[in-house]
Each structure stands twice: as C-alpha cells, then as structure tokens.
Amino acid sequence: MVITEIFPRPTVKQIVFEIKFPNLLFIESKIGEFQTKIMTDYPESSQSYRKKIMFMDVGKKITTQQIEEMENEYTKKIWEFKSPKDVQLTISNDSINITSTHHITYNNPGSKEKFRDAIKFVVDSFFEIVPIPKINRIGLRYFDECPVPSIDNDIFKQWYNTCFPLDKFKLSDSDEMFFTTCVKEEIYYMRYIELFRKEGEKYRYTLDFDGYATDVKRGQYLEITDKLRNMISNAYEKTMLKPAIEYMQKKRDV
C-alpha cells in the first residue's frame, strides 16, 4: 500500500533523483540550449569543477606539465542550476541529479507541486537535446527526520516498527544506534537505513530510503521511478505506526 495522504507535519526533509549514463563528451556543447529550456524554473546557474581521485606511480619522473595535464583529465566539470524553491539541478557528462528540500510529495493527488513533475520537466528537456543511448542507473532517495517522542523503549516501539535491537539495549543508554539492509524486489533495489543518535541534549531519528534500478531503457525512466517510489513508500508505511501517523496529521502550531 502506498501512502497518498499529504501531511501537515511531513517527516521528509530531502528527496534526491539521479540518473547515470555513459560518459558523453559532447554534453558541454549542449548545456546552453538545455539552460534555455529550464531557465523559467531554474534561473540561477553556475559552473564548478570536482577532482576525481588520481593515482600516480611515484617511481617515475613526472614533469609539472604532465601533472597539470593529468589533473585536467581527472577533473569533472559540473553545471548547477537552482530554483527559487530550494530545488537544485546538477548536470555532468555522465549524470543528472535533482535535489529538493521543497517537495513533500512525489505524486500525491491534491498537491500542486509534485516531485515527479519536476523530474519529468528536467529529464524530458534534457532528452530532447541529448538522446542518451541508455541509462546505467536510476536512483530515488528519501531522507526523513522523525520525531523522538521518548527515549523509553516501549514508547518508541509504539511509534515506530523499528529494526533496532531494543530487547537487548536501551535507547536511554545509547549515543547511537544504526541499522542498514539492502533488499531486492524483481529488478528494483532499496537500501534502508535507520539511525538514532544523541546530539548534545537532543536525539535524532533518521530514516534513509535509497531505491535504485540498473540498465534502464530511456523511455522507461519515469515508469521505473514510479516503481521505486512505491517501494520506498511501502517501506515507510511499515515503519510508521499509528501515533507517528497521528503526529504528522496534526496541524502545525502557528
């Protein structure tokens, strides 16, 4: 079952979508045309460089010029575009990444701002200009910051169907608890992470859902992303119990 309710107090803090494809050397010549297509939604733009890890054989004599040439070869150019609504788009020769701290729903009815629409707008605009042959990997990731009602084990288990070994250890005695697993459903994968951590006098409970699929046909990207979202939503629903759902349903204090 997929949650379709839009909560006044959602726990989601960040959603990330990414596709990876074979390294395409001609993308730089297409960036200007792509920018004009998305400029209304992403008016801010910049360019940066990221260094890749480089290994050298220190037993050989290498000139300064050779080092500079190798650094250029191992430098990745990044084009960044930002929207006024805290959505960041990053393009490189082999990937598209959309990161949002604005959206609270993927495609739920009743919402005017859906993350699915943002994905479709960007990716369709990109494919019109750069018809990539295949997608190596599609990823959809959700980060949720959940309320900690109590560090009493029994109360915590009333709120969350947690994977923590609370029959063996007390939250009140723990500076950190961590659980991770990677599961597969058909061709879809999901890495599920729970993290409980004491930070000063406060406690944080974080859920991290990282869904992905590999070797995807270009025309299936949105269908596959929908399946990943459903997989994540089902795992989320199994974790959140009635008191946590009721907390999210309450209106925020003015």
Side-chain angles (χ1 to χ4, degrees):
M1 180 179 177
V2 175
I3 293 177
T4 58
E5 185 174 355
I6 300 174
F7 297 108
R9 289 182 173 182
T11 58
V12 61
K13 297 301 178 185
Q14 186 182 77
I15 313 176
V16 182
F17 168 84
E18 184 177 63
I19 62 173
K20 291 182 175 292
F21 42 84
N23 188 48
L24 301 177
L25 301 178
F26 64 86
I27 283 183
E28 183 170 4
S29 65
K30 301 289 186 178
I31 290 298
E33 186 179 354
F34 173 72
Q35 182 182 12
T36 60
K37 283 184 169 291
I38 64 165
M39 190 175 290
T40 53
D41 286 17
Y42 297 86
E44 297 182 43
S45 61
S46 62
Q47 181 178 303
S48 61
Y49 297 87
R50 294 178 186 171
K51 293 287 186 182
K52 298 180 182 179
I53 297 175
M54 181 173 62
F55 297 95
M56 292 184 182
D57 184 351
V58 295
K60 296 180 180 179
K61 291 184 178 180
I62 301 177
T63 66
T64 302
Q65 181 179 351
Q66 287 174 320
I67 292 175
E68 291 176 353
E69 289 174 353
M70 284 188 289
E71 285 182 342
N72 290 334
E73 182 181 352
Y74 284 87
T75 297
K76 190 173 186 179
K77 188 176 290 187
I78 304 293
W79 295 274
E80 297 175 326
F81 306 91
K82 293 182 180 180
S83 81
K85 296 183 177 180
D86 297 321
V87 182
Q88 181 168 315
L89 166 62
T90 303
I91 306 287
S92 71
N93 281 354
D94 60 5
S95 67
I96 300 174
N97 180 292
I98 306 171
T99 300
S100 175
T101 55
H102 171 72
H103 294 88
I104 60 172
T105 177
Y106 176 78
N107 196 34
N108 287 353
S111 174
K112 295 181 180 179
E113 296 182 291
K114 304 171 184 177
F115 193 56
R116 187 182 193 272
D117 292 341
I119 293 171
K120 189 175 189 305
F121 171 68
V122 169
V123 177
D124 285 357
S125 298
F126 185 81
F127 283 168
E128 287 179 14
I129 301 168
V130 185
I132 63 175
K134 70 172 185 176
I135 296 173
N136 294 341
R137 185 183 188 276
I138 288 183
L140 184 67
R141 192 169 188 177
Y142 278 69
F143 296 91
D144 288 83
E145 290 287 346
C146 304
V148 179
S150 172
I151 55 173
D152 178 272
N153 285 18
D154 292 334
I155 295 176
F156 191 85
K157 288 192 291 184
Q158 291 173 12
W159 280 59
Y160 303 109
N161 180 24
T162 179
C163 295
F164 294 149
L166 298 187
D167 293 334
K168 294 175 63 177
F169 303 104
K170 292 183 178 181
L171 286 174
S172 57
D173 295 336
S174 303
D175 287 337
E176 180 178 291
M177 282 194 186
F178 178 82
F179 173 84
T180 182
T181 186
C182 187
V183 296
K184 181 182 180 183
E185 293 182 10
E186 299 177 356
I187 64 169
Y188 312 102
Y189 296 84
M190 184 187 68
R191 181 173 287 103
Y192 170 82
I193 296 173
E194 283 187 61
L195 174 63
F196 174 87
R197 176 179 292 168
K198 183 178 181 181
E199 297 182 351
E201 298 301 317
K202 297 182 178 180
Y203 296 87
R204 292 180 63 184
Y205 177 51
T206 305
L207 300 177
D208 179 352
F209 305 87
D210 185 7
Y212 63 95
T214 58
D215 295 325
V216 175
K217 294 180 180 179
R218 186 176 67 222
Q220 294 181 318
Y221 84 89
L222 205 52
E223 174 188 347
I224 298 298
T225 307
D226 289 344
K227 295 289 181 62
L228 294 175
R229 182 263 177 173
N230 290 345
M231 190 176 183
I232 290 170
S233 184
N234 287 335
Y236 178 81
E237 184 183 25
K238 291 176 182 178
T239 304
M240 310 298 285
L241 299 181
K242 185 177 179 180
I245 297 292
E246 291 176 344
Y247 170 87
M248 292 189 290
Q249 290 171 333
K250 291 180 181 179
K251 293 183 178 181
R252 293 180 180 273
D253 298 330
V254 179

